[in-house]
CSV table of all heavy atoms in Angstrom, one decimal:
chain,number,residue,atom,x,y,z
D,1,MET,N,116.5,127.8,96.6
D,1,MET,CA,116.7,126.9,97.9
D,1,MET,C,115.3,126.6,98.5
D,1,MET,O,115.0,125.6,99.1
D,1,MET,CB,117.8,127.5,98.8
D,1,MET,CG,118.1,126.7,99.9
D,1,MET,SD,119.0,125.2,99.3
D,1,MET,CE,119.8,124.7,100.9
D,2,PRO,N,114.5,127.6,98.6
D,2,PRO,CA,113.2,127.5,99.3
D,2,PRO,C,112.4,126.4,98.5
D,2,PRO,O,111.6,125.6,99.2
D,2,PRO,CB,112.4,128.7,99.2
D,2,PRO,CG,113.5,129.9,99.1
D,2,PRO,CD,114.6,129.1,98.3
D,3,ARG,N,112.4,126.3,97.1
D,3,ARG,CA,111.7,125.2,96.4
D,3,ARG,C,112.3,123.9,96.8
D,3,ARG,O,111.5,122.9,96.9
D,3,ARG,CB,111.9,125.5,94.9
D,3,ARG,CG,111.1,126.7,94.6
D,3,ARG,CD,111.1,126.7,93.0
D,3,ARG,NE,109.8,126.7,92.4
D,3,ARG,CZ,109.6,126.7,91.2
D,3,ARG,NH1,110.5,126.8,90.3
D,3,ARG,NH2,108.2,126.6,90.7
D,4,PHE,N,113.5,123.7,97.0
D,4,PHE,CA,114.2,122.4,97.4
D,4,PHE,C,113.7,122.0,98.7
D,4,PHE,O,113.3,120.9,99.0
D,4,PHE,CB,115.7,122.5,97.3
D,4,PHE,CG,116.3,121.2,97.6
D,4,PHE,CD1,116.3,120.1,96.9
D,4,PHE,CD2,117.0,121.3,98.9
D,4,PHE,CE1,116.9,119.0,97.3
D,4,PHE,CE2,117.6,120.0,99.3
D,4,PHE,CZ,117.5,119.0,98.6
D,5,LEU,N,113.7,123.1,99.6
D,5,LEU,CA,113.4,122.7,101.0
D,5,LEU,C,111.8,122.4,101.0
D,5,LEU,O,111.4,121.4,101.7
D,5,LEU,CB,113.4,124.1,101.9
D,5,LEU,CG,113.2,123.8,103.3
D,5,LEU,CD1,114.0,122.7,103.9
D,5,LEU,CD2,113.4,125.2,104.1
D,6,ALA,N,111.0,123.0,100.2
D,6,ALA,CA,109.5,122.7,100.2
D,6,ALA,C,109.3,121.1,99.6
D,6,ALA,O,108.5,120.5,100.1
D,6,ALA,CB,108.7,123.5,99.2
D,7,ALA,N,110.1,121.0,98.5
D,7,ALA,CA,109.9,119.5,97.9
D,7,ALA,C,110.5,118.6,98.9
D,7,ALA,O,109.8,117.5,99.0
D,7,ALA,CB,110.8,119.4,96.7
D,8,ALA,N,111.5,118.8,99.6
D,8,ALA,CA,112.1,117.8,100.6
D,8,ALA,C,111.1,117.7,101.8
D,8,ALA,O,110.9,116.5,102.1
D,8,ALA,CB,113.5,118.3,101.1
D,9,LEU,N,110.5,118.7,102.3
D,9,LEU,CA,109.6,118.7,103.4
D,9,LEU,C,108.3,117.9,102.9
D,9,LEU,O,107.7,117.1,103.6
D,9,LEU,CB,109.2,120.0,103.8
D,9,LEU,CG,108.3,120.1,105.1
D,9,LEU,CD1,108.8,119.5,106.2
D,9,LEU,CD2,108.0,121.6,105.3
D,10,THR,N,107.9,118.2,101.7
D,10,THR,CA,106.7,117.4,101.2
D,10,THR,C,107.0,115.9,101.0
D,10,THR,O,106.1,115.1,101.3
D,10,THR,CB,106.3,118.0,99.7
D,10,THR,OG1,106.1,119.4,99.8
D,10,THR,CG2,105.1,117.3,99.1
D,11,ALA,N,108.2,115.6,100.5
D,11,ALA,CA,108.5,114.2,100.5
D,11,ALA,C,108.6,113.5,101.8
D,11,ALA,O,108.0,112.3,102.0
D,11,ALA,CB,109.8,113.9,99.8
D,12,VAL,N,109.2,114.2,102.7
D,12,VAL,CA,109.2,113.5,104.2
D,12,VAL,C,107.7,113.5,104.7
D,12,VAL,O,107.5,112.3,105.3
D,12,VAL,CB,110.0,114.5,105.0
D,12,VAL,CG1,110.0,114.1,106.5
D,12,VAL,CG2,111.5,114.4,104.7
D,13,VAL,N,107.0,114.5,104.6
D,13,VAL,CA,105.6,114.3,105.1
D,13,VAL,C,104.8,113.3,104.4
D,13,VAL,O,104.1,112.4,104.9
D,13,VAL,CB,104.9,115.7,105.0
D,13,VAL,CG1,103.3,115.6,105.3
D,13,VAL,CG2,105.5,116.7,105.9
D,14,ALA,N,105.0,113.2,103.1
D,14,ALA,CA,104.3,112.0,102.3
D,14,ALA,C,104.7,110.6,102.7
D,14,ALA,O,104.0,109.7,102.9
D,14,ALA,CB,104.5,112.1,100.7
D,15,ALA,N,106.1,110.6,103.0
D,15,ALA,CA,106.6,109.2,103.5
D,15,ALA,C,106.1,108.9,105.0
D,15,ALA,O,105.6,107.9,105.2
D,15,ALA,CB,108.1,109.3,103.5
D,16,ALA,N,106.0,109.9,105.8
D,16,ALA,CA,105.5,109.7,107.1
D,16,ALA,C,104.0,109.4,107.0
D,16,ALA,O,103.5,108.5,107.7
D,16,ALA,CB,105.7,111.0,107.9
D,17,LEU,N,103.2,109.9,106.2
D,17,LEU,CA,101.8,109.6,105.9
D,17,LEU,C,101.6,108.2,105.5
D,17,LEU,O,100.7,107.4,105.9
D,17,LEU,CB,101.1,110.6,105.1
D,17,LEU,CG,100.7,112.0,105.7
D,17,LEU,CD1,100.2,112.9,104.6
D,17,LEU,CD2,99.7,111.8,106.7
D,18,ALA,N,102.5,107.8,104.6
D,18,ALA,CA,102.5,106.5,104.0
D,18,ALA,C,102.7,105.4,105.1
D,18,ALA,O,102.1,104.4,105.2
D,18,ALA,CB,103.5,106.3,102.8
D,19,VAL,N,103.8,105.7,105.8
D,19,VAL,CA,104.1,104.7,106.9
D,19,VAL,C,103.0,104.7,108.0
D,19,VAL,O,102.6,103.7,108.5
D,19,VAL,CB,105.4,105.1,107.6
D,19,VAL,CG1,105.7,104.4,108.9
D,19,VAL,CG2,106.6,104.8,106.6
D,20,GLY,N,102.4,105.8,108.4
D,20,GLY,CA,101.3,105.9,109.2
D,20,GLY,C,100.0,105.1,108.8
D,20,GLY,O,99.5,104.4,109.5
D,21,ALA,N,99.7,105.3,107.5
D,21,ALA,CA,98.7,104.6,107.0
D,21,ALA,C,98.8,103.0,106.9
D,21,ALA,O,97.9,102.3,107.2
D,21,ALA,CB,98.3,105.1,105.6
D,22,ALA,N,100.0,102.6,106.6
D,22,ALA,CA,100.4,101.2,106.6
D,22,ALA,C,100.2,100.7,108.0
D,22,ALA,O,99.7,99.5,108.1
D,22,ALA,CB,101.7,101.0,106.1
D,23,LEU,N,100.8,101.4,108.9
D,23,LEU,CA,100.7,100.8,110.3
D,23,LEU,C,99.3,100.8,110.9
D,23,LEU,O,98.8,99.9,111.6
D,23,LEU,CB,101.6,101.7,111.3
D,23,LEU,CG,103.1,101.6,111.0
D,23,LEU,CD1,103.9,102.6,111.9
D,23,LEU,CD2,103.5,100.1,111.4
D,24,GLY,N,98.5,101.8,110.4
D,24,GLY,CA,97.1,101.9,110.7
D,24,GLY,C,96.2,100.7,110.1
D,24,GLY,O,95.4,100.1,110.8
D,25,VAL,N,96.6,100.3,108.9
D,25,VAL,CA,96.0,99.3,108.3
D,25,VAL,C,96.3,97.9,109.0
D,25,VAL,O,95.3,96.9,109.2
D,25,VAL,CB,96.3,99.2,106.8
D,25,VAL,CG1,95.8,97.9,106.2
D,25,VAL,CG2,95.6,100.3,106.0
D,26,VAL,N,97.5,97.6,109.3
D,26,VAL,CA,97.9,96.5,109.9
D,26,VAL,C,97.2,96.3,111.4
D,26,VAL,O,96.9,95.4,111.9
D,26,VAL,CB,99.5,96.4,110.1
D,26,VAL,CG1,100.0,95.4,111.0
D,26,VAL,CG2,100.1,96.3,108.8
D,27,ALA,N,97.2,97.6,112.0
D,27,ALA,CA,96.6,97.6,113.5
D,27,ALA,C,95.0,97.2,113.2
D,27,ALA,O,94.5,96.5,114.1
D,27,ALA,CB,96.7,99.0,114.1
D,28,LEU,N,94.4,97.7,112.2
D,28,LEU,CA,93.1,97.3,112.0
D,28,LEU,C,92.8,95.9,111.7
D,28,LEU,O,91.8,95.3,112.2
D,28,LEU,CB,92.3,98.3,110.9
D,28,LEU,CG,92.1,99.7,111.3
D,28,LEU,CD1,91.7,100.4,110.1
D,28,LEU,CD2,91.0,99.7,112.4
D,29,LEU,N,93.7,95.3,110.9
D,29,LEU,CA,93.6,94.0,110.6
D,29,LEU,C,93.9,93.0,111.8
D,29,LEU,O,93.2,92.1,111.9
D,29,LEU,CB,94.5,93.6,109.5
D,29,LEU,CG,94.3,94.0,108.1
D,29,LEU,CD1,95.3,93.8,107.2
D,29,LEU,CD2,92.9,93.6,107.5
D,30,ASN,N,94.6,93.4,112.7
D,30,ASN,CA,95.0,92.7,113.9
D,30,ASN,C,93.8,92.8,114.9
D,30,ASN,O,93.6,91.8,115.7
D,30,ASN,CB,96.2,93.1,114.5
D,30,ASN,CG,97.6,92.7,113.7
D,30,ASN,OD1,97.4,91.7,113.1
D,30,ASN,ND2,98.6,93.4,113.9
D,31,VAL,N,93.0,93.8,114.8
D,31,VAL,CA,91.9,94.0,115.9
D,31,VAL,C,90.7,93.0,115.5
D,31,VAL,O,90.1,92.5,116.3
D,31,VAL,CB,91.4,95.5,115.8
D,31,VAL,CG1,90.1,95.7,116.4
D,31,VAL,CG2,92.5,96.2,116.5
D,32,THR,N,90.5,92.8,114.2
D,32,THR,CA,89.3,92.0,113.9
D,32,THR,C,89.6,90.5,114.3
D,32,THR,O,90.6,89.9,114.2
D,32,THR,CB,89.2,92.0,112.3
D,32,THR,OG1,90.4,91.6,111.6
D,32,THR,CG2,88.9,93.4,111.8
D,33,PRO,N,88.5,89.9,114.8
D,33,PRO,CA,88.7,88.6,115.3
D,33,PRO,C,88.7,87.6,114.1
D,33,PRO,O,88.1,87.8,113.3
D,33,PRO,CB,87.4,88.4,116.2
D,33,PRO,CG,86.5,89.3,115.8
D,33,PRO,CD,87.2,90.6,115.2
D,34,ASP,N,89.4,86.4,114.4
D,34,ASP,CA,89.4,85.4,113.4
D,34,ASP,C,88.1,84.7,113.4
D,34,ASP,O,87.4,84.6,114.6
D,34,ASP,CB,90.5,84.4,113.7
D,34,ASP,CG,91.9,85.0,113.6
D,34,ASP,OD1,92.0,85.9,112.8
D,34,ASP,OD2,92.9,84.4,114.3
D,35,GLN,N,87.7,84.3,112.3
D,35,GLN,CA,86.4,83.6,112.3
D,35,GLN,C,86.7,82.2,112.6
D,35,GLN,O,87.6,81.5,112.3
D,35,GLN,CB,86.0,83.6,110.7
D,35,GLN,CG,85.7,85.0,110.1
D,35,GLN,CD,84.6,85.6,110.8
D,35,GLN,OE1,83.6,85.0,111.1
D,35,GLN,NE2,84.7,86.8,111.1
D,36,PRO,N,85.6,81.6,113.3
D,36,PRO,CA,85.7,80.1,113.8
D,36,PRO,C,85.8,79.2,112.6
D,36,PRO,O,85.0,79.4,111.6
D,36,PRO,CB,84.5,80.1,114.7
D,36,PRO,CG,83.5,81.1,114.3
D,36,PRO,CD,84.3,82.1,113.7
D,37,ASN,N,86.4,78.3,112.8
D,37,ASN,CA,86.5,77.2,111.6
D,37,ASN,C,85.7,76.0,111.9
D,37,ASN,O,86.1,75.0,112.4
D,37,ASN,CB,88.0,76.7,111.5
D,37,ASN,CG,88.2,75.9,110.3
D,37,ASN,OD1,87.4,75.8,109.4
D,37,ASN,ND2,89.3,75.2,110.2
D,38,VAL,N,84.4,76.3,111.9
D,38,VAL,CA,83.4,75.2,112.2
D,38,VAL,C,82.8,74.7,110.9
D,38,VAL,O,82.1,75.5,110.2
D,38,VAL,CB,82.4,75.9,113.2
D,38,VAL,CG1,81.3,74.8,113.5
D,38,VAL,CG2,83.0,76.2,114.5
D,39,PRO,N,82.7,73.6,110.6
D,39,PRO,CA,82.1,73.1,109.3
D,39,PRO,C,80.6,73.2,109.5
D,39,PRO,O,79.9,73.1,110.6
D,39,PRO,CB,82.4,71.6,109.2
D,39,PRO,CG,82.9,71.2,110.6
D,39,PRO,CD,83.4,72.5,111.3
D,40,LEU,N,79.9,73.5,108.3
D,40,LEU,CA,78.5,73.6,108.3
D,40,LEU,C,77.9,72.2,108.2
D,40,LEU,O,76.8,72.0,108.9
D,40,LEU,CB,78.0,74.2,107.0
D,40,LEU,CG,78.5,75.8,107.0
D,40,LEU,CD1,78.0,76.4,105.7
D,40,LEU,CD2,77.9,76.6,108.1
D,41,ILE,N,78.6,71.2,107.9
D,41,ILE,CA,77.9,69.8,107.7
D,41,ILE,C,79.0,68.9,108.5
D,41,ILE,O,80.1,69.1,108.1
D,41,ILE,CB,77.8,69.3,106.3
D,41,ILE,CG1,76.8,70.3,105.6
D,41,ILE,CG2,77.2,68.0,106.2
D,41,ILE,CD1,76.6,70.0,104.2
D,42,SER,N,78.4,68.1,109.5
D,42,SER,CA,79.3,67.3,110.2
D,42,SER,C,78.8,65.7,110.0
D,42,SER,O,77.7,65.5,110.0
D,42,SER,CB,79.2,67.5,111.6
D,42,SER,OG,80.0,66.6,112.3
D,43,TYR,N,79.7,64.8,109.6
D,43,TYR,CA,79.4,63.5,109.4
D,43,TYR,C,80.1,62.5,110.4
D,43,TYR,O,80.4,61.5,110.3
D,43,TYR,CB,80.0,63.1,108.1
D,43,TYR,CG,79.5,63.7,106.7
D,43,TYR,CD1,80.3,64.7,106.2
D,43,TYR,CD2,78.2,63.4,106.4
D,43,TYR,CE1,79.8,65.4,105.2
D,43,TYR,CE2,77.7,64.1,105.3
D,43,TYR,CZ,78.5,65.1,104.6
D,43,TYR,OH,78.0,65.8,103.5
D,44,GLN,N,80.0,63.1,111.7
D,44,GLN,CA,80.7,62.4,112.8
D,44,GLN,C,79.8,61.2,113.2
D,44,GLN,O,80.3,60.2,113.6
D,44,GLN,CB,80.8,63.3,114.0
D,44,GLN,CG,81.9,64.3,113.8
D,44,GLN,CD,81.9,65.4,114.9
D,44,GLN,OE1,81.2,65.2,115.9
D,44,GLN,NE2,82.9,66.3,114.8
D,45,THR,N,78.5,61.3,113.0
D,45,THR,CA,77.6,60.1,113.4
D,45,THR,C,77.4,59.2,112.3
D,45,THR,O,76.8,58.0,112.5
D,45,THR,CB,76.3,60.6,113.9
D,45,THR,OG1,75.6,61.4,112.9
D,45,THR,CG2,76.5,61.5,115.3
D,46,ALA,N,77.7,59.5,111.1
D,46,ALA,CA,77.4,58.5,110.0
D,46,ALA,C,78.4,57.5,109.9
D,46,ALA,O,79.5,57.5,110.4
D,46,ALA,CB,77.5,59.4,108.7
D,47,THR,N,78.1,56.3,109.4
D,47,THR,CA,79.0,55.2,109.2
D,47,THR,C,79.8,55.4,108.0
D,47,THR,O,79.2,55.8,107.0
D,47,THR,CB,78.2,53.7,109.1
D,47,THR,OG1,77.3,53.8,108.1
D,47,THR,CG2,77.4,53.5,110.5
D,48,PRO,N,81.0,55.0,108.0
D,48,PRO,CA,81.8,55.1,106.8
D,48,PRO,C,81.3,54.2,105.7
D,48,PRO,O,81.1,53.1,106.0
D,48,PRO,CB,83.3,54.9,107.3
D,48,PRO,CG,83.1,54.1,108.4
D,48,PRO,CD,81.7,54.5,109.0
D,49,ARG,N,81.4,54.7,104.5
D,49,ARG,CA,81.0,53.8,103.3
D,49,ARG,C,82.2,53.1,102.8
D,49,ARG,O,83.4,53.5,103.0
D,49,ARG,CB,80.6,54.6,102.2
D,49,ARG,CG,79.4,55.4,102.4
D,49,ARG,CD,78.8,56.0,101.1
D,49,ARG,NE,77.4,56.7,101.5
D,49,ARG,CZ,76.8,57.3,100.6
D,49,ARG,NH1,77.4,57.4,99.2
D,49,ARG,NH2,75.8,57.9,100.7
D,50,LYS,N,82.1,51.9,102.3
D,50,LYS,CA,83.1,51.1,101.8
D,50,LYS,C,83.2,51.1,100.4
D,50,LYS,O,82.3,51.3,99.6
D,50,LYS,CB,83.0,49.6,102.3
D,50,LYS,CG,83.2,49.6,103.9
D,50,LYS,CD,83.0,48.2,104.4
D,50,LYS,CE,83.3,48.1,105.8
D,50,LYS,NZ,83.3,46.7,106.3
């Protein structure tokens, strides 16, 4: 019985660590700011070609 209890406790702790790591990764990804979507080259002043 103690081996079963140790195995069950290990599985529960491993699952809790996996969930915590997943939530931590999602939290870190939400903290990083989005990159601005600014083009490097702008053709706003050029006349369109036909």
Side-chain angles (χ1 to χ4, degrees):
M1 190 65 162
R3 287 184 123 180
F4 177 74
L5 184 61
L9 185 62
T10 302
V12 168
V13 170
L17 283 174
V19 169
L23 292 176
V25 167
V26 169
L28 285 176
L29 289 175
N30 285 336
V31 168
T32 57
D34 291 335
Q35 297 296 320
N37 190 11
V38 179
L40 296 176
I41 300 173
S42 177
Y43 296 106
Q44 294 175 356
T45 59
T47 57
R49 293 186 180 182
K50 293 184 180 182

